[in-house]
Amino acid sequence: MKVEIWSDVVCPWCYIGKRRFESALRDFEHADDVEVVWRSFELDPTTETVHEKADGPSDAHLRRLSAKFGQPVEQVAPMVAHVDAMAAAEGLEFHQDISVPANTVKAHQLLHLAAERGVQGAVKERLLRANFTEGEPVGDDETLVRLVAEAGLDADEARAVLAEDRYLDAVRADIAEARALGARGVPFFVVDRTYGISGAQPTEQFAQVLRQAWAESHPLTLVGDQDADACGPDGCAI
């Protein structure tokens, strides 16, 4: 069974949704037979990357969100605190007060490389943690190369991919496909191209869909004489 997940590495609900999905998958009895593929989605392709880490905690992130949503910082702050609390409930440690803006198109290109090299899950996790926990500038080339190398990619190959924009078309194709499938935001989960799940749904919702999709794609075929000796609610055959 295949699960495709459209998300961005600067999307807080994408990280929270990832953890909730992973919790459901961990308890799924057929987990070893589930292929997870991370697809690209850019929340804001116009974002200009900051190439250095922040000097320390500040309200810069709140001010950026305030400007984006046209709401006072005083209204934005409780929203961010709510997201941080939801992350903590999933065992994640968010420090959005040290995050810096990042254009993520290059990060997504490296995730395509990681898929080809069999380390996509590890690279995805590393980039999310770098952004939300460590305040790394995940739009900066050399920072990206260092981070993905820590997760198993070859640094020289990663650097070459960025120099060539080798997977730019693949990133754009992912984004176009998300729209064609009806995704209005991320995270967006597609299970066996049959079920779509929008948002960081509760773990129980993911578990239910996994079970249902598996049952439908692996129907039980009964063989032999269905009237053979057996016992049922009304007694045993004699």
Side-chain angles (χ1 to χ4, degrees):
M1 190 163 70
K2 185 175 184 179
V3 179
E4 298 162 273
I5 308 173
W6 276 261
S7 71
D8 202 351
V9 298
V10 294
C11 163
W13 287 112
C14 292
Y15 204 2
I16 294 169
K18 180 177 186 290
R19 276 295 182 273
R20 292 176 178 174
F21 171 75
E22 288 168 345
S23 293
L25 186 62
R26 185 172 57 248
D27 295 332
F28 184 52
E29 61 180 325
H30 304 291
D32 291 343
D33 297 309
V34 176
E35 177 190 6
V36 178
V37 179
W38 295 96
R39 300 293 190 191
S40 303
F41 193 95
E42 290 182 85
L43 286 179
D44 186 358
T46 67
T47 299
E48 294 185 6
T49 290
V50 169
H51 295 274
E52 301 291 339
K53 295 182 71 170
D55 293 335
S58 73
D59 65 351
H61 179 65
L62 293 177
R63 287 188 281 106
R64 287 193 296 270
L65 291 178
S66 174
K68 180 177 181 179
F69 298 124
Q71 297 179 353
V73 169
E74 293 75 18
Q75 292 183 18
V76 172
M79 300 177 190
V80 173
H82 171 70
V83 171
D84 289 351
M86 293 296 99
E90 302 302 328
L92 297 171
E93 183 180 347
F94 275 18
H95 296 291
Q96 298 191 72
D97 54 357
I98 59 172
S99 66
V100 296
N103 187 298
T104 58
V105 66
K106 294 183 177 182
H108 286 301
Q109 290 192 60
L110 292 179
L111 283 164
H112 275 274
L113 171 64
E116 293 188 0
R117 299 295 177 264
V119 292
Q120 192 185 39
V123 170
K124 182 73 172 183
E125 178 68 22
R126 185 67 190 96
L127 295 178
L128 285 164
R129 178 162 57 88
N131 180 72
F132 287 103
T133 303
E134 301 167 0
E136 293 277 7
V138 295
D140 176 71
D141 284 22
E142 284 306 309
T143 300
L144 283 170
V145 168
R146 170 172 55 81
L147 293 171
V148 300
E150 292 174 8
L153 283 178
D154 178 78
D156 290 337
E157 184 176 29
R159 194 174 286 108
V161 163
L162 297 182
E164 301 165 9
D165 276 335
R166 188 182 303 173
Y167 294 94
L168 183 57
D169 288 345
V171 171
R172 290 173 174 167
D174 273 0
I175 295 170
E177 188 170 19
R179 293 177 180 141
L181 289 170
R184 301 176 64 180
V186 286
F188 186 68
F189 302 75
V190 175
V191 182
D192 257 3
R193 289 293 167 127
T194 302
Y195 292 96
I197 307 172
S198 182
Q201 297 290 334
T203 296
E204 296 75 16
Q205 179 69 64
F206 288 120
Q208 178 184 343
V209 173
L210 287 172
R211 291 193 298 268
Q212 188 167 342
W214 182 271
E216 292 179 2
S217 62
H218 299 79
L220 182 66
T221 300
L222 297 175
V223 297
D225 182 1
Q226 303 308 306
D227 295 321
D229 294 343
C231 291
D234 299 324
C236 298
I238 299 176

